[in-house]
Amino acid sequence: MSAAPGPGPEQRLGAGRERTGASFPAMRAAKRPRSIVAGPYGHPFHPIAVTIPIGAWTSSLVFDLLGLAADDPAAFAAGSRLLIAIGLVGAVVASVLGLLDMSRIERRTPAHRTALAHLAINTTAIVLFSLGLLVRLVDAGRIPLVAFGLSLVAAAGLSISGWLGGKLSYRWGVRVADEQTQREGFETA
């Protein structure tokens, strides 16, 4: 015997309370910036800011691998430390911008829960890279395996977090222009 399907959207929201498209107030609010610091409507700064820590931390892993294979890993270890530090500074900037965007998402929604998971994973990655940097500073002449392991775990977490961030933008349209605005790019003269 199959289970009965759950209530449809009209039943979950209540009769006469249809919430579709950009007419839904919570969805409209999540598309608008909290402040111009977060970027103008339809062009948030958080997605571009995350490229700094992602690029720096990914490059640090490459330096780690080269350092682990090198006879004299000191230069690669120094490069990796510098890249991790750059990533940490970039992560702070990206975090502030992400918090501004998150503050526009209505609480108790799937989008807000996803944003919280995205935040928690990113915070964990920042902590792991910070701990790894401290370990590297104590043992500066080589690539400590503990620090490399922390970087690998943090990078794996960032992959999951990136997927969640993409879900927020591409599936639920957080800080993405509404369809009416998007339509302007496809109208013919």
Side-chain angles (χ1 to χ4, degrees):
M1 179 182 293
S2 65
E10 63 286 339
Q11 293 168 325
R12 285 193 303 264
L13 297 170
R17 295 184 57 201
E18 184 177 338
R19 297 176 177 177
T20 60
S23 64
F24 183 29
M27 188 184 304
R28 268 196 321 273
K31 293 178 176 302
R32 301 284 172 192
R34 166 72 59 198
S35 160
I36 192 63
V37 173
Y41 169 72
H43 204 293
F45 292 154
H46 175 69
I48 193 68
V50 302
T51 62
I52 296 167
I54 292 170
W57 290 336
T58 301
S59 297
S60 76
L61 287 170
V62 172
F63 273 58
D64 283 349
L65 291 171
L66 292 171
L68 289 170
D71 291 333
D72 184 8
F76 295 112
S80 188
R81 286 191 309 274
L82 179 61
L83 287 163
I84 290 170
I86 290 168
L88 289 170
V89 171
V92 170
V93 172
S95 296
V96 169
L97 297 171
L99 287 170
L100 286 170
D101 290 349
M102 184 178 158
S103 71
R104 301 295 292 166
I105 302 171
E106 188 173 311
R107 295 177 190 264
R108 296 180 308 277
T109 62
H112 192 261
R113 287 188 295 276
T114 300
L116 285 173
H118 179 70
L119 171 65
I121 295 169
N122 287 338
T123 302
T124 302
I126 290 169
V127 168
L128 292 175
F129 277 113
S130 297
L131 290 172
L133 182 59
L134 291 175
V135 170
R136 291 165 192 273
L137 290 171
V138 170
D139 193 0
R142 63 186 191 89
I143 309 294
L145 289 178
V146 170
F148 178 62
L150 290 170
S151 291
L152 284 176
V153 171
L158 287 175
S159 297
I160 295 166
S161 177
W163 183 83
L164 293 173
K167 185 176 184 178
L168 287 166
S169 295
Y170 299 118
R171 181 168 181 169
W172 290 323
V174 173
R175 288 298 320 276
V176 174
D178 63 38
E179 287 184 6
Q180 184 60 37
T181 303
Q182 292 174 17
R183 189 173 292 127
E184 295 170 8
F186 296 94
E187 292 176 346
T188 57

